[in-house]
Amino acid sequence: MTTIAMQVNGKEVTADVEDRTLLVQYIRESLGLTGTHVGCDTSQCGACVVHVDGKAVKSCTMLAAQAAGKTITTIEGIADGDTLDPIQVAFHENHGLQCGFCTPGMIMATKDMIARHGTDLDEKTIRSELEGNICRCTGYHNIVKSIQAAASAMAAAE
Amino acid sequence: MYQTTYHRPATLDEAIKLGSNDEAKYLSGGQTLIPTMKQRLASPESLVDLSGLSELQGIRADGGSLSIGAGMTHADVASSAQVREMIPALADLAGGIGDPHVRNMGTLGGSVANNDPSADYPAAVLALNATIYTNKREISADSFFNGLFETVLEEGEIITRISFPVPSKANYQKFDSPASRYALVGVFAARTDGNCRVAVTGAGNDGVFRMEAAEGALSASWSADSVGKNRPDPDDMIVDLHGTGEYRAHLVNVLAKRAVTAA
Ligand SMILES: Cc1cc2nc3c(=O)[nH]c(=O)nc-3n(C[C@H](O)[C@H](O)[C@H](O)COP(=O)(O)OP(=O)(O)OC[C@H]3O[C@@H](n4cnc5c(N)ncnc54)[C@H](O)[C@@H]3O)c2cc1C
Ligand code: FES
Ligand code: FES
């Protein structure tokens, strides 16, 4: 067991965890933040994407102990009270989800994508940036549309 | 995943002390090791996280070479202005590994130490004739890789940095598997001080290799014609559900020509 401390969605948390605990297990099972999903066993689907020190990572492919001392943001941490993040609004308005299982990962990946590439995103960039996020439902079309809409909304707000 | 004990040492000496036994494994970005442990294909009793070691950090020019810390992530290398300026083909290669989330964690040192037969970096290390620096020695690229998932690294040895001589021309062509994004075949061609080297990943059933038969002609004349009909023996190629030996040998030839043309 190791005692780990980190900041999750703005709050300091500490816990004793087994060293083999994955970050996603800690987030879901110990912290009860079940918005972060587990969609595969092979580090390929991206349903588990969270931000560690501002960078998108697959929380199923990192130990909780590796995240000790770091700042974590999950899907639960991006809205401002009742005001949704512009990316959440865009997915809602553009039918960017069907079952919603991939959506938390898609939204966290989008936040990272816009942070790196800015709001001027073409379709090709968006599609190649989504390499690590799999959706079984939508065929990606409305996800791409949602991301474009989110980027435009964020550009307009700047 | 089986039980394990996690350490995050702050110094290289401490890391080597913890890592020098056959029950321990170094953990860098974890993008290969953790999936392998989740599948229970690896079960190290202890994990020694290298992310706290300053010796493995940073990217800097070092004479005519570019020295990259083993702990630099694929995203660090892809977005570095210095790599982009000195060896753009290397920045492009790093930016084409896996997906953005894998690139935010996976590292140069982890990829080269792991020597997956389909990994991208080994092709660059071999074609650019890089030098691998460890905690105890320097190893030339030609003597570093030792077959599938094998290198000459000894127990407890840590790659600290890799130094890449700056080429006058270089390009990496990757034909990726649309499912895994690993290279089905990848060819890195480089010309450095008039010498040409071509290295192939994803294809050889003994791991990364050089296409020496084409290198002499390329040194005389850098053009796709110099690659000519050169291709490896299909019997030496990986055969799997993605492609036959014949198919991979053909791809090597096509990608080598494209790399030379694009460089
Ligand atoms: C979905 C997915 C897609 C991927 N696609 C690609 C791809 O397209 N191309 C590609 O090349 N790779 C790909 N990878 C692999 C990825 O690049 C890994 O990051 C890389 O192979 C290993 O680096 P790491 O830092 O994660 O190492 P780890 O997983 O931490 O370690 C790997 C091995 O190297 C050893 N090691 C690590 N650092 C050192 C060191 N400094 N000295 C000595 N030994 C060390 C470890 O003990 C371990 O045995 C992919 C991975 C995933 C999960
Ligand atoms: S659950 Fe993490 S990538 Fe699928
Ligand atoms: S909406 Fe169902 S998996 Fe993407």
Side-chain angles (χ1 to χ4, degrees):
Chain A
M1 299 286 266
T2 307
T3 304
I4 55 169
M6 63 184 83
Q7 198 190 80
V8 180
N9 300 335
K11 268 199 291 219
E12 301 297 333
V13 292
T14 13
D16 290 327
V17 296
E18 281 189 354
D19 291 23
R20 64 175 165 177
T21 308
L22 296 170
L23 179 59
V24 72
Q25 283 173 308
Y26 176 63
I27 290 171
R28 289 179 54 86
E29 294 166 24
S30 302
L31 300 178
L33 296 171
T34 53
T36 301
H37 292 167
V38 176
C40 73
D41 241 344
T42 50
S43 306
Q44 281 174 313
C45 77
C48 63
V49 170
V50 302
H51 292 195
V52 175
D53 287 346
K55 288 179 182 164
V57 306
K58 291 175 172 171
S59 61
C60 72
T61 313
M62 179 174 192
L63 299 174
Q66 280 176 281
K70 302 195 190 290
T71 301
I72 318 297
T73 309
T74 70
I75 187 71
E76 288 90 347
I78 63 170
D80 181 9
D82 285 340
T83 310
L84 291 179
D85 184 276
I87 302 170
Q88 291 174 303
V89 173
F91 271 72
H92 180 209
E93 288 179 349
N94 292 280
H95 203 139
L97 55 138
Q98 287 179 24
C99 78
F101 196 86
C102 69
T103 315
M106 289 289 176
I107 288 177
M108 298 313 283
T110 303
K111 236 180 143 51
D112 180 82
M113 185 190 312
I114 293 177
R116 280 179 296 114
H117 289 277
T119 49
D120 196 10
L121 283 170
D122 58 31
E123 181 177 342
K124 187 160 172 274
T125 307
I126 294 173
R127 288 188 184 269
S128 79
E129 283 285 328
L130 289 180
E131 210 74 91
N133 293 82
I134 294 175
C135 176
R136 293 303 298 268
C137 303
T138 63
Y140 301 95
H141 190 75
N142 284 355
I143 292 178
V144 173
K145 212 165 108 189
S146 303
I147 296 172
Q148 277 170 325
S152 307
M154 288 164 79
E158 264 166 19
Chain B
M1 188 187 297
Y2 291 110
Q3 289 286 8
T4 187
T5 306
Y6 171 87
H7 306 275
R8 196 194 296 172
T11 66
L12 193 56
D13 285 347
E14 206 188 321
I16 292 157
K17 216 169 280 167
L18 288 164
S20 295
N21 67 79
D22 61 7
E23 304 298 342
K25 263 205 172 289
Y26 293 124
L27 175 68
S28 188
Q31 301 301 289
T32 292
L33 187 51
I34 292 182
T36 314
M37 289 175 68
K38 284 168 65 178
Q39 311 280 340
R40 295 187 167 180
L41 295 172
S43 50
E45 271 172 26
S46 63
L47 286 176
V48 183
D49 186 343
L50 303 177
S51 67
L53 308 180
S54 57
E55 290 86 347
L56 276 57
Q57 302 302 314
I59 298 177
R60 55 175 186 252
D62 181 8
S65 297
L66 176 66
S67 165
I68 305 183
M72 300 317 294
T73 64
H74 309 329
D76 291 333
V77 174
S79 65
S80 155
Q82 189 151 30
V83 180
R84 175 70 47 205
E85 189 196 312
M86 293 176 76
I87 316 183
L90 196 60
D92 289 340
L93 176 148
I97 295 176
D99 59 56
H101 326 311
V102 168
R103 293 196 288 274
N104 277 336
M105 289 295 289
T107 65
L108 169 63
S111 177
V112 172
N114 192 52
N115 192 20
D116 185 304
S118 301
D120 299 303
Y121 268 127
V125 167
L126 198 56
L128 293 168
N129 197 10
T131 303
I132 294 102
Y133 289 85
T134 74
N135 57 304
K136 53 184 185 196
R137 55 182 170 148
E138 304 175 11
I139 309 168
S140 75
D142 282 321
S143 47
F144 182 80
F145 300 107
N146 211 1
L148 303 184
F149 298 100
E150 294 289 339
T151 69
V152 299
L153 288 175
E154 292 164 6
E155 186 177 287
E157 193 168 7
I158 297 178
I159 302 178
T160 51
R161 313 191 67 80
I162 299 182
S163 179
F164 297 90
V166 176
S168 53
K169 286 175 182 298
N171 184 262
Y172 180 60
Q173 292 287 322
K174 175 176 181 177
F175 192 92
D176 48 1
S177 150
S180 74
R181 298 295 161 193
Y182 273 91
L184 194 59
V185 173
V187 178
F188 200 110
R191 184 182 177 93
T192 315
D193 294 332
N195 265 320
C196 297
R197 290 167 64 109
V198 179
V200 180
T201 189
N205 61 16
D206 201 27
V208 66
F209 66 93
R210 274 170 64 194
M211 229 176 138
E212 283 166 62
E215 291 176 353
L218 281 168
S219 296
S221 161
W222 180 265
S223 75
D225 286 345
S226 297
V227 176
K229 292 192 164 32
N230 266 304
R231 58 172 215 166
D233 185 342
D235 288 341
D236 295 338
M237 300 291 97
I238 296 174
V239 178
D240 60 16
L241 79 169
H242 303 300
T244 59
E246 188 64 34
Y247 179 62
R248 277 195 166 83
H250 178 71
L251 267 183
V252 171
N253 176 276
V254 172
L255 296 179
K257 286 180 178 158
R258 284 187 193 166
V260 168
T261 305

